[in-house]
């Protein structure tokens, strides 16, 4: 049996990020970049109007106000997507719309609401206020200059970054391949949800939970059929999962019972067990192994153990596999809001509700500390709340 820290160290030092692949920008959310991206263009590409209004020379309107409006001659108009062939000279202006390129010679935009048309002279506009140079103009390169970094290697792509990269004209990106994770539930007592239960059977619930956890961890779950407790069935199911996936998560069958075949089956397939049994409660019989470039995470079958071992061992491993630098193993500490009697020889994890707002923390599994504490009680400890990260 090894300590939790040692177990984590062994897992994380074994795992390397998966190889790279190119994905369409539209498929890149939450994927991890393998190279920095520099802007191929200035963003915005050209000086353009932030308003519907008129392109002017600010100096022409220096004295304008509501009592003494200033007039300019309208040379023409430029829709968004158009360009104005001529120059804005002194005493003239050009009608613009949001996104229209700023014509040469102009250095500001006055919004339409601060102007009046002249009913008797259709080519004249009256300006009711002055404007500062470059007011209401989005300047070329003000968001990002050509060559400026838009994203760094190791970034997990957010929707904001994806929008920015699209604005820079990118179509595809080089990212770490997403891990494919086979989910196997062992146990002859297990039945598929949705089917009638036979005497002694229970519904299998770990694969559905793990599929949700795996997805949230940025990997792809691959659900395999139920595995009865025989050496033969365990071997063939594990083989299929390891052939098809980057890692297999099994649940059940890792204790010392005579129907526990996961470890033996993995070794029979040529896999190497790195460790079995960790000093935690629950989750003690957790086993980790590798077969070439594939990994086995053998989780105990009790659903609470399954959840805990996923959070403690598998989620950090998946983070490294998908290219993130930080395995995210530091759990936030929290304070118990009620007394709890925990005499135990191992670090012990209890289902709990964590009031993230009160604690000011992202929520994760609460690891109890040895020092009992007492703060006002908020809610009964009844289930585990987990991070949205
Ligand atoms: P095991 O780890 O195989 O000894 O199983 C421990 C306990 O968890 C037993 O009571 C099992 O019936 C239960 N269990 C194991 N696997 C599952 C599963 N996939 N879904 C629900 N309960 C399970
Ligand atoms: Mg079992």
């Amino acid at each position: 049996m090894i300590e939790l820290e040692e177990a984590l160290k062994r897992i994380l030092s074994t795992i390397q990020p998966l190889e790279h692949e190119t994905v369409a920008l539209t498929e890149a959310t939450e994927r991890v970049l393998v190279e920095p991206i520099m802007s191929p263009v200035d963003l915005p590409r050209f000086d353009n109007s932030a308003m519907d209004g008129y392109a002017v020379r600010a100096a022409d309107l220096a004295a304008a106000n509501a009592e003494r409006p200033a007039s300019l001659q309208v040379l023409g108009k430029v829709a968004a997507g158009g360009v104005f062939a001529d120059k804005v000279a002194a005493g003239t202006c050009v009608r613009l719309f949001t996104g229209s390129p700023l014509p040469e010679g102009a250095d500001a935009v006055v919004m339409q609401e601060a102007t009046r048309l002249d009913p008797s002279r259709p080519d004249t506009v009256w300006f009711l206020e002055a404007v500062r140079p470059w007011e209401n103009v989005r300047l070329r390169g003000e968001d990002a200059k050509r060559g400026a970094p838009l994203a760094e290697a190791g970034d997990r792509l957010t929707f904001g970054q994806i929008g920015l990269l699209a604005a820079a004209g990118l179509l595809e990106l080089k990212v770490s391949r997403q891990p494919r994770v086979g989910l196997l539930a062992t146990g002859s007592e297990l039945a598929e949800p949705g089917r009638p239960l036979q005497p002694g059977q229970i519904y299998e619930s770990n694969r559905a939970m793990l599929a949700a956890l795996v997805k949230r961890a940025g990997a792809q779950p691959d659900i395999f059929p139920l595995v009865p407790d025989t050496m033969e069935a365990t071997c063939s199911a594990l083989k299929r999962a390891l052939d098809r996936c980057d890692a297999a998560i099994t649940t059940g069958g890792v204790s010392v019972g005579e129907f526990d075949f996961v470890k033996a089956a993995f070794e029979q397939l040529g896999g190497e067990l790195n460790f079995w049994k960790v000093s935690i409660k629950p989750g003690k019989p957790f086993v980790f192994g590798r077969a070439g470039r594939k990994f086995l995470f053998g989780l105990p079958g009790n659903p609470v153990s399954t959840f805990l071992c996923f959070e403690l061992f598998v989620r950090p491993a998946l983070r490294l596999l998908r290219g993130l630098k930080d395995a995210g193993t530091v759990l936030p500490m929290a304070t118990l809001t009620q007394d709890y009697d925990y005499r135990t020889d191992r670090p012990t994890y209890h289902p709990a509700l964590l009031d993230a707002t009160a604690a000011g923390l992202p929520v994760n599994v609460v690891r109890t500390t040895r020092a009992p504490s007492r703060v006002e009680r908020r809610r009964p400890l009844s289930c585990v709340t987990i991070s949205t990260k």
Side-chain angles (χ1 to χ4, degrees):
M1 184 147 75
I2 62 175
E3 296 298 319
L4 170 67
E5 289 71 19
E6 170 69 11
L8 260 177
K9 204 153 78 183
R10 290 203 196 181
I11 294 173
L12 300 182
S13 63
T14 306
I15 289 193
Q16 303 288 326
L18 296 175
E19 68 279 5
H20 309 159
E21 66 179 357
T22 300
V23 295
L25 192 60
T26 48
E27 300 299 321
T29 178
E30 291 291 306
R31 300 297 292 273
V32 180
L33 269 181
V34 300
E35 57 191 12
I37 295 179
M38 310 306 176
S39 185
V41 290
D42 285 328
L43 286 174
R45 292 297 314 275
F46 45 83
D47 296 347
N48 69 90
S49 178
M51 297 281 173
D52 290 339
Y54 294 87
V56 300
R57 297 158 65 103
D60 286 353
L61 302 180
N65 56 48
E67 282 80 51
R68 283 212 198 144
S71 72
L72 296 175
Q73 184 201 352
V74 186
L75 299 179
K77 68 178 167 193
V78 192
V83 273
F84 189 67
D86 212 347
K87 262 188 161 180
V88 174
T92 66
C93 64
V94 169
R95 175 91 171 110
L96 293 187
F97 304 89
T98 307
S100 300
L102 189 74
E104 225 187 305
D107 66 358
V109 171
V110 177
M111 62 177 185
Q112 189 174 315
E113 291 85 338
T115 66
R116 294 282 174 273
L117 292 173
D118 190 323
S120 56
R121 288 185 293 166
D123 68 340
T124 298
V125 183
W126 291 93
F127 293 83
L128 310 179
E129 55 191 50
V131 65
R132 280 176 281 116
W134 307 112
E135 204 171 333
N136 300 325
V137 177
R138 300 164 174 161
L139 294 172
R140 171 180 182 154
E142 78 177 11
D143 292 339
K145 293 248 179 314
R146 183 169 167 225
L150 298 180
E152 307 286 348
D155 277 359
R156 189 177 51 174
L157 288 159
T158 62
F159 53 85
Q161 267 174 324
I162 288 174
L164 183 63
L165 298 176
L170 277 98
L171 250 188
E172 26 184 53
L173 302 171
K174 222 192 233 185
V175 296
S176 294
R177 189 164 63 73
Q178 199 176 28
R180 187 177 190 87
V181 182
L183 303 179
L184 302 171
T186 75
S188 296
E189 76 279 30
L190 303 176
E192 290 285 359
R195 304 235 178 113
L197 288 176
Q198 302 304 317
Q201 285 194 322
I202 58 169
Y203 285 126
E204 195 286 308
S205 62
N206 285 332
R207 290 170 306 166
M209 173 175 64
L210 286 168
L213 288 164
V214 164
K215 275 189 196 165
R216 199 191 54 171
Q220 263 178 300
D222 188 351
I223 296 182
F224 284 80
L226 294 177
V227 185
D229 289 319
T230 68
M231 182 65 175
E232 209 186 355
T234 311
C235 260
S236 70
L238 252 184
K239 179 164 181 355
R240 255 181 304 147
L242 290 169
D243 282 347
R244 210 155 87 186
C245 304
D246 301 298
I249 301 178
T250 60
T251 71
V254 284
S255 300
V256 290
E258 57 189 288
F259 296 107
D260 293 329
F261 295 108
V262 170
K263 292 188 284 35
F266 186 65
E267 288 185 307
Q268 185 161 317
L269 293 171
E272 220 177 282
L273 298 179
N274 188 307
F275 63 83
W276 174 45
K277 287 191 180 168
V278 186
S279 178
I280 52 171
K281 191 174 171 181
K284 180 168 115 180
F286 174 78
V287 59
F288 172 63
R290 90 183 279 173
R293 303 199 56 193
K294 311 287 178 95
F295 303 98
L296 169 71
F297 299 94
L299 279 46
N302 179 305
V304 176
S305 310
T306 294
F307 170 77
L308 179 68
C309 288
F310 181 90
E311 283 294 300
L312 289 179
F313 305 118
V314 187
R315 194 173 51 83
L318 293 180
R319 285 176 65 96
L320 295 195
L321 269 181
R322 62 191 276 240
L324 288 168
K325 303 273 178 284
D326 171 14
T329 52
V330 180
L331 299 180
M333 297 302 282
T335 309
L336 288 174
T337 54
Q338 65 187 76
D339 286 344
Y340 201 84
D341 186 14
Y342 44 93
R343 270 157 288 191
T344 166
D345 52 344
R346 294 173 260 161
T348 302
Y349 294 78
H350 296 280
L353 271 177
L354 199 152
D355 187 338
T357 333
L361 288 170
V363 188
N364 216 312
V365 180
V366 180
R367 180 178 181 178
T368 56
T369 59
R370 272 162 210 275
S373 49
R374 185 195 175 89
V375 194
E376 144 211 0
R377 176 178 177 150
R378 280 181 212 282
R379 273 175 165 179
L381 296 173
S382 60
C383 76
V384 179
T385 312
I386 46 180
S387 160
T388 53
K389 270 270 161 195

